Amino acid sequence: MSRYPFKEAEAKWQRIWADQKAFEVTADERPTYYVLEMFPYPSGLLHMGHVRNYTLGDVVARYKMARGFNVMHPMGWDAFGLPAENAAITKGIHPAASTYGNIEAMKKQFAALGLSLDWSREFATCDPSYYRHQQAMFLDFLEAGLAYRKESSVNWDPVDHTVLANEQVVDGRGWRSGAVVERRKLAQWFFRVTEFADELLEALEGLERWPDKVRVMQERWIGRSEGARVRFAIEGRDEPLEVFTTRPDTLFGASFMAIAPDHPLATELATDQPALQDFIAECAKTGTSEEAIEQAEKLGFDTGLRCINPLIPDQRLPVYVANFVLMDYGTGAIFGCPGHDQRDLDFARKYGRPVTPVVLPPDADPETFAIGDEAYVGDGTIFNSEFLDGLDVPAAKRTVIQHLEEMGAGEGRITFRLRDWGVSRQRYWGCPIPIIKCERCGIVPVPKDQLPVTLPEDIELGKVGNPLDRHPTWKHVACPSCGGKAERETDTLDTFVDSSWYFLRFCSPHLSERPFDRSAVERWVPVDQYIGGVEHAVLHLLYSRFFCRALKRCGQLDIEEPFAGLFTQGMVCHKTFRDADGRWLNPAEVEPGPDGEMRAIADGRRVEVGRSEKMSKSKLNVIDPGPTIDAYGADAARLFMLSDSPPERDLEWTEAGIDGAWRYINRLWRLFAEAGTPAGVDLTEPDELSSEATELRRLTHKTIHAVSDEIERFHFNKAVALIREFSNRLESFDHDDPAAPVVLREALEALVKLMAPMVPHLAEELWQRLGHDTLLAKTAWPEADPAWLQEDEVTIAVQVMGKLRATLNLPKGVGKETAEAAALDDENVQRAIGGKPLRRVIFVPDKILNLVV
RNA sequence: GCGGACGUGAUGGAAUUGGUAGACAUACCGGACUUAAAAUCCGGAGGGCUACGCCCGUGCGGGUUCGACUCCCGCCGUCCGCACCA
């Protein structure tokens, strides 16, 4: 039995595609379509998540190509990042060497997948020819006020004298030194994302081809809330205490004030109050971990200060420093209204503060209504509140804000949860920030004609401190402004900056003087279809949206949204295995024993099989795509990725699944070997088609229509099912039918074209076997002829009282009376009716006839 | 706590707007081919019963409807995201 020689075939077609530059963008008038998958970090090893991601993108790219679009489907490398630096420390390889080595290795693995990528546009973000433009953008942002410097705290490793990224902090300790990490204030660079907070929020609505989930996540991340800033005078002090509140309508229910432990007022008071100092130190200790916050008790420290409620001049409110108030939201200070905020209520009960309700729930009695253990947060009628009494909550908010504005004690204010993006990283392997710090001139931008500021190559990693800072010469430069002694900024940019504009660079990847050609960008961007993991739902996607707006503000672009269509794929999962000692085992280290239980191959002991989880190094449930592709071929791996699971859901990797895909590929191979048209056979259409042949031709057109539709909707699993259904029918088609040479052949041609986006190598091979000497990759998608989509017979389900009792095959478009008569002829239907008179007959043409008795 | 998604055979999953539940696969069972196995091919299959038919069945309990996996109300469970956001 002949088997599909995938090794030869896949290598052959990959070579031919490359030789013919089949996937390079050409300059022509066809409509453009930009398909982009999130570019990879060059770890050196392709994993299953990549295979799924790039297969999904490849289906779209090849499909759109066949549909007549000028498709751009580029690939590059998100090449700066911490792992290269860590590898340098642990293995002693220079980050540049390991990164470029990894890129080479991964490119080979990519090649084996047979993706329709335009490699002529490839670049790596760690290349100075890329990051020089990023440095220029930084300077533009600086000039436009979109980049600025301020003090901010970082994770500081006191042993290694280095700043740590959040992921380098494990259980509050530095990943290498194991020392307890401290918070330290450093001057750092920020991008003013908040400048566009409103815009970024409002424009989400227009992103119709984004998953709702992602839009909701961004919406919550931006976190707009309407309220007011209110200033409370402090007894015996000139400066008032300003708070932010979304419930100014409850000001008459105020019971206390609270400020953050790191509020400037708290810091000031602490200088001569050791007890307060201790309290603040205690607050800083409570971790920021999820549980820590959940468990943490609400604690307050009475500063002794008293505030005056602007609406109740003789009321005195104690000012607490409280552990639950955040400095970086609002003003870092609140007023507590325990009647209508649960957290304030807990605090008030604990510290014996009065609880005055000011919102009366509907139907509650103002004389008896009291707050118990639960604050009342719903709508109602304001009471106990002088001039607000009788208003509902929204009206009271408006009224009180107006009142506060008139008396100068506050104003309506919108606050966002979104914060500016801190882009400084105290790392070596990143884009240098093009700034020079001069003792006399201050912060001086590197003149654009001196860009790029490149990284020094001779560095020592793994020593104490930032290698750029420690380098003997790199940072010492002359001030561009005064010529005096000055120092470079030794921080580098967050790698999220690199990925915030790479999709623009792909449009004109080799320009040296400019980051991109504006007309090229405006031709291709927004990306028509962006595909990647949902883990980037907020940061990467939000930053990219910010970047487009910032570049527009700087006059470089006229685009706001980078990605018109977004698809977030599910993860690739696998069962986990654990031996009796609790050690994780790789799937290759276990096998089923004679009793069907999984056993460790090494010692034959039983292993515990855990549920399917995302493949991860720590749980060892990782399948390397390399050997799989070696054993089954890229098409089998691709087909499995696309088969059963809908792309947005998690996919469980199974041996049976890849095996099934491989078997199907061989089945297709045999189908074409058996049904292929021998040379010299007459291909003219017979005068009349047998009903079988007619039915097959209909199925061909129906399948073309349905598969196209499912691909458009990203239902690739269903497209595969339809293709299988179609090929199953082809296998059983009678080869002796007089119309077989024509009808079967057209069916086979359609089948090859439909499967091409999924299993491109096999499809090319079969296309060639059908006698074509053109590339299938350059062949148009088949068209379904509407005339052949029409059925002339339909199956109508006959129900009696909503229960199925019979099905009828009737001519399409049959009338109600005819259908009813036919149904009443049916014995089974008659039995169900049981001689009762019909009360009602519901008829849905060509679908349902429901007899109600 | 807040927000979102999901819950269908042994398993992955189908079921355009409410209209024949279980497409297409995987695993399984039976048969053919084979010395044998693998591969391949053919057939079976939601559960039950008094089986050419009937009853039950889409997490649970109600409701709307001629008709509900689909819509509404109330629960339960799983997963994901955010999390002291005033």
Side-chain angles (χ1 to χ4, degrees):
Chain A
M1 174 111 18
S2 136
R3 283 211 173 191
Y4 170 50
F6 70 88
K7 278 218 165 90
E8 296 74 25
E10 292 188 349
K12 176 175 81 182
W13 292 109
Q14 283 160 15
R15 201 176 53 242
I16 292 172
W17 292 328
D19 288 350
Q20 301 202 12
K21 299 186 191 311
F23 309 120
E24 287 189 15
V25 171
T26 53
D28 59 50
E29 293 307 301
R30 288 175 300 161
T32 61
Y33 198 92
Y34 188 174
V35 187
L36 186 66
E37 301 98 40
M38 291 179 184
F39 69 161
Y41 174 79
S43 62
L45 210 60
L46 199 70
H47 58 70
M48 284 297 178
H50 291 127
V51 176
R52 192 174 196 200
N53 191 187
Y54 301 120
T55 299
L56 294 174
D58 204 44
V59 171
V60 176
R62 287 177 181 269
Y63 172 74
K64 289 290 176 183
M65 234 173 269
R67 272 273 144 119
F69 288 90
N70 193 0
V71 170
M72 176 156 78
H73 187 202
M75 182 57 68
W77 308 97
D78 189 13
F80 273 136
L82 201 53
E85 215 165 312
N86 290 344
I89 296 170
T90 53
K91 293 182 196 151
I93 314 164
H94 192 279
S98 69
T99 301
Y100 283 104
N102 286 346
I103 287 174
E104 277 322 299
M106 279 181 90
K107 250 183 112 165
K108 285 199 189 101
Q109 298 167 60
F110 264 96
L113 283 173
L115 301 168
S116 62
L117 293 167
D118 180 352
W119 283 105
S120 73
R121 288 164 190 267
E122 176 191 10
F123 61 80
T125 56
C126 63
D127 197 309
S129 66
Y130 179 81
Y131 69 68
R132 64 179 295 184
H133 302 297
Q134 192 163 302
Q135 291 173 337
M137 285 174 194
F138 180 91
L139 298 176
D140 290 340
F141 289 3
L142 187 65
E143 208 181 316
L146 294 171
Y148 66 94
R149 209 166 109 101
K150 74 164 186 198
E151 290 266 313
S152 175
S153 56
V154 294
N155 302 310
W156 180 259
D157 186 319
V159 171
D160 280 354
H161 290 272
T162 185
V163 173
L164 298 175
N166 286 333
E167 57 269 38
Q168 288 175 316
V169 180
V170 183
D171 292 332
R173 290 169 181 274
W175 70 294
R176 287 194 81 218
S177 69
V180 174
V181 169
E182 299 168 2
R183 305 291 294 169
R184 249 202 201 193
K185 290 254 180 186
L186 286 182
Q188 306 211 69
W189 291 96
F190 285 81
F191 283 164
R192 206 179 297 278
V193 182
T194 52
E195 173 78 12
F196 300 101
D198 247 324
E199 246 187 81
L200 288 166
L201 182 67
E202 276 165 31
L204 282 172
E205 215 160 306
L207 297 173
E208 285 162 17
R209 290 175 48 231
W210 278 40
D212 287 345
K213 176 190 170 126
V214 174
R215 289 194 289 185
V216 168
M217 280 166 77
Q218 292 213 356
E219 199 181 308
R220 289 175 65 95
W221 188 265
I222 295 168
R224 182 182 195 272
S225 52
E226 286 184 22
R229 288 211 172 180
V230 185
R231 285 175 289 279
F232 288 70
I234 306 173
E235 264 188 327
R237 295 177 71 97
D238 297 335
E239 283 296 302
L241 181 61
E242 190 175 39
V243 303
F244 173 73
T245 176
T246 55
R247 295 297 303 274
D249 55 304
T250 63
L251 266 169
F252 284 96
S255 167
F256 62 90
M257 310 294 291
I259 61 175
D262 45 347
H263 192 281
L265 181 59
T267 313
E268 183 201 321
L269 295 171
T271 49
D272 49 9
Q273 291 193 48
L276 179 54
Q277 262 172 43
D278 293 347
F279 179 78
I280 291 171
E282 198 57 39
C283 291
K285 249 195 251 169
T286 344
T288 44
S289 74
E290 320 80 55
E291 305 144 81
I293 286 167
E294 190 147 347
Q295 312 279 325
E297 204 181 347
K298 311 267 172 286
L299 296 174
F301 182 97
D302 189 346
T303 59
L305 293 182
R306 294 294 176 263
C307 271
I308 301 162
N309 188 333
L311 300 182
I312 313 176
D314 54 357
Q315 188 187 35
R316 294 294 175 272
L317 300 165
V319 179
Y320 292 86
V321 172
N323 63 347
F324 64 90
V325 180
L326 305 172
M327 190 55 221
D328 46 13
Y329 184 76
T331 62
I334 62 163
F335 81 87
C337 175
H340 307 287
D341 181 284
Q342 189 59 45
R343 201 181 33 203
D344 293 349
L345 181 63
D346 296 344
F347 190 85
R349 294 278 190 241
K350 179 164 175 150
Y351 291 99
R353 298 299 308 162
V355 179
T356 313
V358 291
V359 182
L360 188 66
D363 306 324
D365 178 357
E367 298 303 317
T368 56
F369 178 66
I371 301 291
D373 290 339
E374 270 185 43
Y376 178 70
V377 296
D379 201 353
T381 311
I382 305 293
F383 72 132
N384 295 335
S385 298
E386 300 181 11
F387 64 95
L388 297 176
D389 284 355
L391 297 174
D392 63 12
V393 167
K397 283 181 181 173
R398 285 193 298 274
T399 308
V400 76
I401 287 171
Q402 199 189 347
H403 189 89
L404 290 167
E405 283 173 358
E406 279 163 11
M407 62 190 288
E411 51 276 319
R413 200 56 168 271
I414 290 161
T415 293
F416 292 92
R417 210 190 74 117
L418 182 72
R419 320 230 178 99
D420 282 337
W421 174 15
V423 293
S424 287
R425 296 291 180 272
Q426 293 70 30
R427 312 240 67 87
Y428 166 72
W429 194 231
C431 170
I433 295 174
I435 291 291
I436 290 165
K437 296 181 259 188
C438 171
E439 277 173 28
R440 285 201 292 167
C441 313
I443 297 297
V444 183
V446 173
K448 280 198 179 167
D449 59 13
Q450 292 178 23
L451 296 182
V453 176
T454 54
L455 291 168
E457 284 174 30
D458 52 331
I459 41 118
E460 285 181 288
L461 286 157
K463 295 274 176 67
V464 165
N466 175 354
L468 287 179
D469 205 31
R470 241 184 21 241
H471 190 278
T473 57
W474 185 79
K475 71 175 175 185
H476 302 291
V477 286
C479 170
S481 178
C482 70
K485 267 174 83 177
E487 285 191 5
R488 287 193 188 285
E489 170 65 76
T490 56
D491 287 353
T492 53
L493 290 172
D494 180 5
T495 55
F496 274 110
V497 178
D498 312 335
S499 55
S500 291
W501 68 282
Y502 77 106
F503 45 89
L504 302 174
R505 181 71 177 169
F506 277 134
C507 301
S508 44
H510 308 302
L511 278 188
S512 56
E513 293 312 312
R514 286 171 291 148
F516 44 77
D517 176 68
R518 185 169 175 155
S519 67
V521 164
E522 285 172 4
R523 180 161 176 242
W524 290 102
V525 180
V527 173
D528 294 279
Q529 188 62 62
Y530 197 35
I531 305 169
V534 74
E535 67 272 19
H536 293 113
V538 177
L539 298 184
H540 163 57
L541 291 166
L542 192 64
Y543 293 154
S544 298
R545 297 181 63 220
F546 158 76
F547 242 76
C548 280
R549 286 170 172 79
L551 288 168
K552 183 181 177 185
R553 172 86 51 101
C554 297
Q556 301 198 31
L557 271 185
D558 197 21
I559 285 165
E560 277 147 15
E561 288 299 332
F563 313 117
L566 172 69
F567 188 89
T568 50
Q569 89 217 36
M571 296 178 297
V572 182
C573 300
H574 197 284
K575 291 209 170 78
T576 55
F577 303 103
R578 237 177 167 164
D579 72 10
D581 304 326
R583 276 185 313 236
W584 299 105
L585 295 176
N586 186 271
E589 298 176 296
V590 299
E591 62 182 3
D595 53 356
E597 298 277 357
M598 297 306 280
R599 288 173 186 280
I601 293 172
D603 55 16
R605 291 192 302 169
R606 269 181 58 177
V607 299
E608 190 194 327
V609 181
R611 73 178 177 87
S612 193
E613 291 180 63
K614 179 186 180 169
M615 288 189 182
S616 81
K617 276 185 209 154
S618 59
K619 293 187 178 169
L620 293 180
N621 59 337
V622 178
I623 305 288
D624 180 0
T628 304
I629 291 169
D630 246 20
Y632 295 97
D635 283 342
R638 294 170 57 122
L639 184 60
F640 173 53
M641 288 285 162
L642 297 167
S643 294
D644 303 333
S645 289
E648 69 277 11
R649 259 194 250 177
D650 288 353
L651 171 138
E652 191 189 346
W653 180 271
T654 59
E655 198 63 30
I658 180 75
D659 215 57
W662 165 237
R663 285 206 305 268
Y664 181 57
I665 281 171
N666 277 293
R667 216 161 132 185
L668 287 167
W669 177 250
R670 284 192 302 274
L671 170 66
F672 278 76
E674 287 160 17
T677 317
V681 166
D682 185 10
L683 283 177
T684 51
E685 173 121 1
D687 292 340
E688 201 157 316
L689 296 182
S690 66
S691 66
E692 272 231 303
T694 307
E695 182 244 359
L696 179 63
R697 181 169 280 171
R698 270 213 183 99
L699 182 64
T700 303
H701 287 275
K702 258 173 70 180
T703 304
I704 291 170
H705 180 77
V707 169
S708 313
D709 195 46
E710 299 299 4
I711 291 181
E712 297 272 1
R713 296 151 167 271
F714 255 90
H715 295 167
F716 301 147
N717 55 323
K718 290 195 240 169
V720 172
L722 286 162
I723 286 173
R724 292 187 86 129
E725 221 172 332
F726 186 39
S727 74
N728 287 350
R729 178 67 191 91
L730 293 189
E731 282 175 341
S732 62
F733 189 77
D734 178 9
H735 289 206
D736 296 330
D737 190 291
V742 183
V743 179
L744 191 53
R745 188 187 164 84
E746 70 191 22
L748 290 170
E749 294 223 340
L751 177 60
V752 176
K753 290 175 185 170
L754 294 177
M755 67 167 124
M758 301 163 187
V759 285
H761 311 87
L762 174 69
E764 286 285 5
E765 188 70 21
L766 297 177
W767 182 245
Q768 190 182 48
R769 303 231 155 190
L770 285 172
H772 297 281
D773 53 10
T774 51
L775 271 185
L776 182 57
K778 293 281 181 189
T779 302
W781 193 249
E783 289 292 337
D785 180 347
W788 285 93
L789 293 175
Q790 299 294 322
E791 296 282 356
D792 44 26
E793 195 175 67
V794 291
T795 305
I796 293 178
V798 181
Q799 302 178 340
V800 178
M801 298 299 287
K803 287 191 183 239
L804 183 73
R805 296 301 173 190
T807 56
L808 298 173
N809 286 325
L810 293 171
K812 191 181 162 74
V814 71
K816 183 177 177 182
E817 288 73 24
T818 321
E820 191 178 327
L824 292 174
D825 254 4
D826 187 279
E827 211 179 294
N828 210 37
V829 171
Q830 280 299 341
R831 188 171 34 234
I833 292 171
K836 287 177 232 147
L838 293 185
R839 285 200 292 128
R840 229 177 126 182
V841 178
I842 283 123
F843 181 63
V844 182
D846 298 337
K847 275 192 176 157
I848 287 274
L849 181 74
N850 191 7
L851 307 173
V852 186
V853 293

